[in-house]
Amino acid sequence: MSEYWYNVISHQVEEGPQSDWSKLLGPYASRVEAEQAIAQVQANNERWDEADEDAND
């Protein structure tokens, strides 16, 4: 079973970790999951920012 990684520098999906760990998000079970990694990170950041704002009110 392959693992997929999203490279935040090249914006490419890697099958198996091919780059330095500091450049990778993952592992993901599928190529599709890895392709959507950055969108998920952005959605999480927005959700956490909103939660921080609510907590500070």
Side-chain angles (χ1 to χ4, degrees):
M1 178 182 208
S2 293
E3 292 182 327
Y4 297 88
W5 302 77
Y6 181 80
N7 186 311
V8 297
I9 303 301
S10 69
H11 306 283
Q12 300 294 314
V13 173
E14 300 179 2
E15 188 170 350
Q18 299 171 19
S19 299
D20 182 75
W21 68 269
S22 64
K23 298 176 180 143
L24 299 175
L25 297 176
Y28 297 95
S30 72
R31 178 172 290 279
V32 171
E33 277 185 83
E35 289 170 347
Q36 298 170 348
I38 201 68
Q40 185 61 51
V41 167
Q42 290 169 336
N44 289 344
N45 286 343
E46 289 173 12
R47 190 176 67 243
W48 295 329
D49 287 346
E50 290 172 8
D52 287 345
E53 288 174 10
D54 291 344
N56 290 332
D57 288 339

